[in-house]
Amino acid sequence: MTPDSVPLPRAVRPADSCVMAVFGASGDLTTRKLIPSLYNLAAQKLLPDGFALVGNSRRAMTDGEFRRKVLAGIEEFAPAPASVDAATLGWLSERLHYLAGDAADHAMYGRLGEAMAALDAARGAGGNELFYLATAPEFFGPIARRLGSAGLVREERGAWRRVVVEKPFGSDLESAKALNDELKTILTERQIYRIDHYLGKETVQNILVLRFANGIFEPIWNRRYVDHVQISVAEELGVGGRGGYFDGVGVLRDMLPNHIFQLLSLIGMEPPISFDADAVRDKQVEVLRAIAPLTPQAARRDAVRGQYGDGAIGGIRAPSYRAEPLVAKDSSTETFAALKLTIDNWRWAGVPFYLRAGKRLPARSTEIVVQFRAAPFQLFRDTPVEAMTPNQLVIRIQPHEGIALTFGAKIPGPAVNIGTVDMNFDYQSYFGAKPNTGYERLLYDAMTGDATLFQRADMVETAWSVVAPVLAAWKDAPGDFPNYEAGSWGPDAAQELLRRDGRRWRECAG
Ligand code: BG6
């Protein structure tokens, strides 16, 4: 199919009318993601006229100052600044408001309620209210409690009230459970939208389509044909200005039980009976539950951690993690983690899933590799074994979004020499580039009441319980850090994790 023959997308209706409140509105997320995404939705006519937003933080700002601050972010982050359209900008700008106040102050919620009611009356939002918690995680519970006691999340007369909770959702199983329990005393599960921004990525959503809208993959998507699966999230960046947050968290908590497990569950899940939110999430959680629990011994053997030292990326010197701002000079926080898991069910028994995430690696690349078993019989005896690369289905999540299937082909010439070639689907060349921060779909879904791409309480808790043995194994034994150079593919032990199984990581191209 050529790009010209790609059918036009189905018409999508604008989101429900609503007033949205953003806590933490002076922060980065609002400027970099939320407002640019709302702009992109508005440009696609997916926000209704009955929409308004009120930002809240402690910082004193007028509506005008707030508008100028966040709208400036659109130019920078929207991502196609040349196409910023004055009419859309004006439309959005007049719907943006600001209320300064301390989210810890009970009285502030009375004022917020009044401000939202006034905006609702002015715009005709029908009583629907969306609360977005873009604050530091320690405020999630307290804000929800105060929303509850101020009566702001009570659903009356057919209007909805929803709360979007940002990442991180807890820092281990106990804290995630405690937060879930707290939220459940105030909200029903249906009202809670736990964000994982990986699910906003088109390529991640496409995993469901790849698997369940095509007949050719399902018969081979199992232990009979799949040798193993690799999921890599490699970043060139270090922790930059986020050392204060990251040093208390580490890459395992930051990336594995959320982003990487989302990818794992979409790759590993059974077909859902429909695309209803709970039908999909039931299957996702089922596969997470089927992950074989790591014994303390397996946690030490099958989990690898690393921390970068000095090095260079693309010829540019990169300082060690311990020299980053707001990082302890003797920090034992990991900036690289790799993990081997198995899924104990009929589809995946015996198929290892190798997961890795790291900062300051040689390339920025998120990809999933489904590696198939080798041909049953090596017919080409004279061909060097290393030339017989296995078939891989490579799902490139970012950058250069696409899917490639690698296979062996005869190199033209009188002798039989086999080279690895691929069939390659590239998103951009088929569908063109669309301005997208990754939050558009998630915001739209929260406003229309589709929770499919949000994490349910049981998913979050199951994910934390999978990594709990690793957290326990690492807690009392500081790592021998630094143990990889910035700009390398992580510690040797990560290579060894696969080598001892006779496998190796695919080198992500970036
Ligand atoms: C965030 C993590 O959730 O995801 C960051 O806190 C990480 O540490 C980021 O860099 C990666 O997201 P993306 O979309 O750039 O792959």
Side-chain angles (χ1 to χ4, degrees):
M1 187 152 76
T2 66
D4 295 340
S5 58
V6 173
L8 285 174
R10 265 185 303 142
V12 183
R13 71 169 173 91
D16 294 0
S17 293
C18 63
V19 179
M20 175 173 174
V22 178
F23 293 93
S26 61
D28 254 18
L29 184 76
T30 307
T31 310
R32 285 167 175 265
K33 301 287 184 191
L34 301 185
I35 301 293
S37 310
L38 290 170
Y39 169 84
N40 285 336
L41 286 173
Q44 294 167 57
K45 307 277 178 256
L46 292 177
L47 282 189
D49 279 326
F51 172 78
L53 178 146
V54 50
N56 162 264
S57 77
R58 274 183 305 192
R59 186 154 143 197
M61 269 189 280
T62 62
D63 279 2
E65 285 164 341
F66 176 62
R67 285 173 187 165
R68 273 192 297 283
K69 174 179 172 354
V70 294
L71 293 176
I74 293 181
E75 298 280 337
E76 205 177 332
F77 304 111
S83 65
V84 170
D85 164 60
T88 308
L89 210 57
W91 184 96
L92 182 62
S93 172
E94 64 187 23
R95 286 171 171 74
L96 300 181
H97 304 267
Y98 186 75
L99 177 74
D102 186 349
D105 169 16
H106 193 73
M108 201 280 292
Y109 292 78
R111 289 190 286 128
L112 178 66
E114 282 163 22
M116 292 177 84
L119 289 173
D120 186 324
R123 294 281 172 202
N128 299 326
E129 293 183 359
L130 182 68
F131 298 93
Y132 198 111
L133 311 192
T135 61
E138 60 269 29
F139 300 115
F140 297 162
I143 293 176
R145 254 199 328 274
R146 292 192 179 92
L147 286 172
S149 49
L152 293 179
V153 288
R154 218 171 26 236
E155 296 187 320
E156 287 168 337
R157 292 185 287 277
W160 54 254
R161 300 288 161 106
R162 300 180 188 136
V163 177
V164 180
V165 186
E166 259 295 334
K167 177 176 165 271
F169 199 91
S171 55
D172 55 18
L173 180 58
E174 288 68 39
S175 54
K177 268 191 177 154
L179 183 54
N180 275 330
D181 290 348
E182 181 162 25
L183 294 180
K184 277 184 205 158
T185 61
I186 304 149
L187 302 154
T188 62
E189 180 64 30
R190 209 177 34 73
Q191 291 178 286
I192 308 171
Y193 287 70
R194 296 174 194 78
I195 272 208
D196 183 313
H197 81 273
Y198 261 57
L199 289 174
K201 297 182 192 286
E202 284 288 352
T203 37
V204 175
Q205 294 162 29
N206 190 46
I207 298 172
L208 285 173
V209 176
L210 174 82
R211 289 196 53 199
F212 303 126
N214 295 294
I216 60 167
F217 297 113
E218 180 53 24
I220 56 170
W221 209 260
N222 56 54
R223 56 186 292 278
R224 278 186 296 285
Y225 297 95
V226 175
D227 177 73
H228 74 276
V229 175
Q230 299 179 13
I231 302 179
S232 298
V233 180
E235 294 183 89
E236 280 182 18
L237 291 178
V239 290
R242 297 171 71 233
Y245 157 76
F246 189 87
D247 207 34
V249 175
V251 84
L252 182 87
R253 287 186 167 92
D254 192 40
M255 301 297 292
L256 273 280
N258 31 63
H259 306 325
I260 291 193
F261 279 16
Q262 289 295 339
L263 302 178
L264 180 150
S265 66
L266 293 171
I267 291 291
M269 69 194 269
E270 294 301 310
I273 54 166
S274 74
F275 281 113
D276 281 353
D278 278 329
V280 173
R281 297 185 300 177
D282 283 347
K283 294 299 174 193
Q284 283 184 279
V285 78
E286 203 172 274
V287 75
L288 294 179
R289 281 206 195 104
I291 293 174
L294 291 168
T295 59
Q297 187 198 12
R300 283 192 299 275
R301 189 191 58 216
D302 294 340
V304 170
R305 60 184 155 159
Q307 186 194 80
Y308 60 85
D310 295 333
I313 299 180
I316 299 168
R317 301 264 355 127
S320 70
Y321 174 70
R322 289 176 178 174
E324 301 271 19
L326 304 177
V327 168
K329 298 292 161 246
D330 58 350
S331 171
S332 59
T333 299
E334 82 287 352
T335 59
F336 177 100
L339 189 56
K340 173 185 169 184
L341 295 174
T342 50
I343 298 174
D344 280 352
N345 65 14
W346 276 53
R347 185 185 288 273
W348 295 119
V351 178
F353 281 64
Y354 300 100
L355 318 175
R356 66 176 168 171
K359 308 250 178 223
R360 287 282 192 231
L361 302 186
R364 173 173 183 252
S365 168
T366 300
E367 67 175 37
I368 302 167
V369 178
V370 179
Q371 180 159 320
F372 295 94
R373 287 177 186 272
F377 171 64
Q378 295 290 358
L379 199 54
F380 302 98
R381 288 211 187 96
D382 299 333
T383 303
V385 171
E386 58 275 22
M388 305 279 290
T389 40
N391 300 124
Q392 292 181 329
L393 185 74
V394 181
I395 303 174
R396 294 189 307 268
I397 305 294
Q398 64 187 17
H400 314 305
E401 293 82 352
I403 299 175
L405 180 67
T406 66
F407 54 95
K410 180 179 170 299
I411 299 171
V416 178
N417 282 317
I418 300 177
T420 301
V421 297
D422 58 21
M423 291 197 283
N424 195 3
F425 152 66
D426 176 73
Y427 252 81
Q428 196 157 326
S429 51
Y430 265 77
F431 296 116
K434 245 175 97 190
N436 191 359
T437 67
Y439 271 69
E440 288 80 0
R441 170 78 193 270
L442 298 173
L443 285 173
Y444 175 85
D445 284 358
M447 290 179 197
T448 46
D450 183 349
T452 313
L453 299 178
F454 292 84
Q455 299 207 75
R456 220 168 46 186
D458 53 351
M459 293 166 78
V460 175
E461 290 177 15
T462 309
W464 278 119
S465 66
V466 171
V467 297
V470 181
L471 293 173
W474 290 357
K475 189 161 156 266
D476 300 317
D480 190 11
F481 294 155
N483 61 353
Y484 71 97
E485 262 181 40
S488 72
W489 281 106
D492 292 342
Q495 309 303 327
E496 187 51 34
L497 183 70
L498 271 73
R499 204 181 301 130
R500 69 172 198 235
D501 292 347
R503 300 181 173 109
R504 62 166 182 248
W505 294 103
R506 188 187 124 86
E507 206 151 293
C508 312

